Amino acid sequence: MTTPNKLATLSVRAMPLPEEVTQILEENSDLIRSMEQLMSSLNEGKNTQMIPQKTQEKIWEFKGQLEQHLTGRKWRNTVDQIWSFGPRKCGPNILVNKNKDFQNSVWTGPAGRASKEASRYRDLGNSIVSGFQLATLSGPMCEEPLMGVCFVLEKWDLSKFEDRTASDKQSQEQSDLVKEGQREGETCSGRDEHQDLQGGCSEPFEKRASQKGESSLTDCYGPFSGQLIATMKEACRYALQVKPQRLMAAMYTCDIMATSDVLGKARKVKTEKYHE
C-alpha cells in the first residue's frame, strides 16, 4: 500500500504463528513489557548496563524458546528481526522488519544508518510500529484484538520521500535563508555592539528553520507520520484478510425482558445456553 501523498510504499505479509509460539508469547507478556521499557531507555541514551542478571537470563531463554519453535526456511532469521510485539507492545503477535536500510530489533535496539538519518528513520519507524499496534488491537473481525499473527514488513520504500525532501531543501533554503538573514540583520542592527548576538538572534532563526523542515512533511493529507500509521494499519488488515481467519472466543450478548410468570423459564433457557 502507498501513503496518500504517494511518497512511501509499504509491503506487508501476514503469516500464522505456531500455537506453541503464541502460548510462549502469552506466558511471557510481563517479560516482553520489561524488554520494551529497556529498549525505551536505550533509545533515550540511558545507561542499561545495570540490568539484573536474572532478567538477562530470562530474555535469552525467551529468545531461545522462540528460535526452537520458529524453524525452517520460512522462519529463517525471523527471531532476530522481531521489531515489536502487539497489541500494547506485549501481546501474542509479532512484527518482523525485513528492511535493510533501517534494522531495529527488540533484542538489540536500532542499528543501521548513523546520525540524522538514523534519527529520521527511527521516527518514521515509530509510526510504522504504531500502525501495527492499532491493527493488532482492533482486527477486521468484530474489531477484536488479533492473536497468533506474524506481520512481515517486506518492503519499506521511502525513495520518493527522500527525493522530495532533498528538492525542498535545495529550493527553499536558497530563497528563504536569504530573506531570514535580511530580517535578522534588520532586527539586530539597532542593538549594542557588545551584546551577545548569538543568544539574541541566531536561536530564533534556527527555530524557524527547523519549523520549515517540519512543515515540508505536512501536506493536504496531514503529517507524513500520521499517513504512515494509517497506511501500515490498513496494510496489516488487508494482509490478514488474505489468510483464513476465525474468532477465538465468539460471544453473544443480549437482553431478555420477561414477565414475572415466565421469569423462571427464561432463566432456565439462559442457563442451558450458557453451558452450551
Side-chain angles (χ1 to χ4, degrees), residues 182-197:
Q182 292 176 352
R183 293 177 183 175
E184 294 299 330
E186 294 174 358
T187 304
C188 300
S189 59
R191 298 195 176 186
D192 189 77
E193 294 180 357
H194 300 287
Q195 187 176 1
D196 186 5
L197 296 181

Side-chain angles (χ1 to χ4, degrees), residues 21-265:
V21 174
T22 304
Q23 184 176 358
I24 292 174
L25 295 176
E26 286 186 303
E27 294 174 352
N28 291 273
S29 59
D30 293 337
L31 179 61
I32 296 174
R33 198 175 287 110
S34 301
M35 291 171 56
E36 172 61 26
Q37 296 175 356
L38 177 63
M39 287 298 105
S40 298
S41 301
L42 184 63
N43 292 334
E44 294 174 0
K46 297 180 181 180
N47 186 11
T48 57
Q49 295 180 356
M50 303 302 294
I51 305 174
Q53 185 66 25
K54 284 187 177 181
T55 303
Q56 292 183 3
E57 293 176 355
K58 288 182 179 179
I59 291 175
W60 296 119
E61 181 182 355
F62 170 56
K63 182 180 180 182
Q65 291 177 349
L66 295 178
E67 291 175 338
Q68 182 180 357
H69 293 90
L70 293 177
T71 58
R73 185 176 181 180
K74 181 176 66 172
W75 300 104
R76 183 179 301 172
N77 300 327
T78 295
V79 177
D80 292 328
Q81 296 171 338
I82 294 178
W83 193 353
S84 179
F85 300 94
R88 300 185 179 90
K89 297 187 177 182
C90 61
N93 307 278
I94 61 177
L95 172 64
V96 177
N97 180 23
K98 296 287 186 180
N99 185 32
K100 296 181 180 179
D101 293 329
F102 178 71
Q103 298 177 356
N104 197 345
S105 171
V106 294
W107 318 108
T108 59
R113 298 190 180 188
S115 66
K116 294 182 179 180
E117 290 195 3
S119 177
R120 183 178 65 179
Y121 270 78
R122 182 164 56 249
D123 293 339
L124 298 179
N126 291 337
S127 299
I128 291 179
V129 172
S130 298
F132 160 76
Q133 297 296 333
L134 291 175
T136 54
L137 182 62
S138 179
M141 296 190 69
C142 302
E143 302 296 325
E144 287 292 313
L146 301 184
M147 183 176 181
V149 184
C150 172
F151 291 102
V152 182
L153 184 61
E154 297 283 358
K155 184 175 68 173
W156 178 11
D157 187 6
L158 295 174
S159 57
K160 293 183 179 179
F161 167 73
E162 294 174 347
D163 293 341
R164 175 178 171 179
T165 303
S167 62
D168 287 345
K169 287 183 179 179
Q170 291 178 356
S171 60
Q172 291 182 3
E173 289 183 359
Q174 291 178 355
S175 59
D176 294 348
L177 292 182
V178 174
K179 296 179 181 179
E180 293 292 338
Q182 292 176 352
R183 293 177 183 175
E184 294 299 330
E186 294 174 358
T187 304
C188 300
S189 59
R191 298 195 176 186
D192 189 77
E193 294 180 357
H194 300 287
Q195 187 176 1
D196 186 5
L197 296 181
Q198 279 189 340
C201 298
S202 64
E203 183 177 355
F205 170 73
E206 293 174 357
K207 184 180 292 185
R208 282 192 290 272
S210 64
Q211 290 175 351
K212 288 179 180 297
E214 292 176 358
S215 63
S216 64
L217 302 180
T218 306
D219 51 25
C220 61
Y221 299 103
F224 185 60
S225 59
Q227 296 182 48
L228 279 177
I229 293 175
T231 303
M232 182 62 183
K233 177 183 176 182
E234 291 302 314
C236 290
R237 290 169 71 100
Y238 279 116
L240 179 67
Q241 290 176 322
V242 174
K243 301 287 185 178
Q245 42 193 306
R246 63 184 177 91
L247 290 172
M248 295 296 296
M251 299 181 66
Y252 175 71
T253 304
C254 66
D255 296 328
I256 300 177
M257 300 179 63
T259 57
S260 58
D261 55 336
V262 296
L263 186 60
K265 297 180 180 180

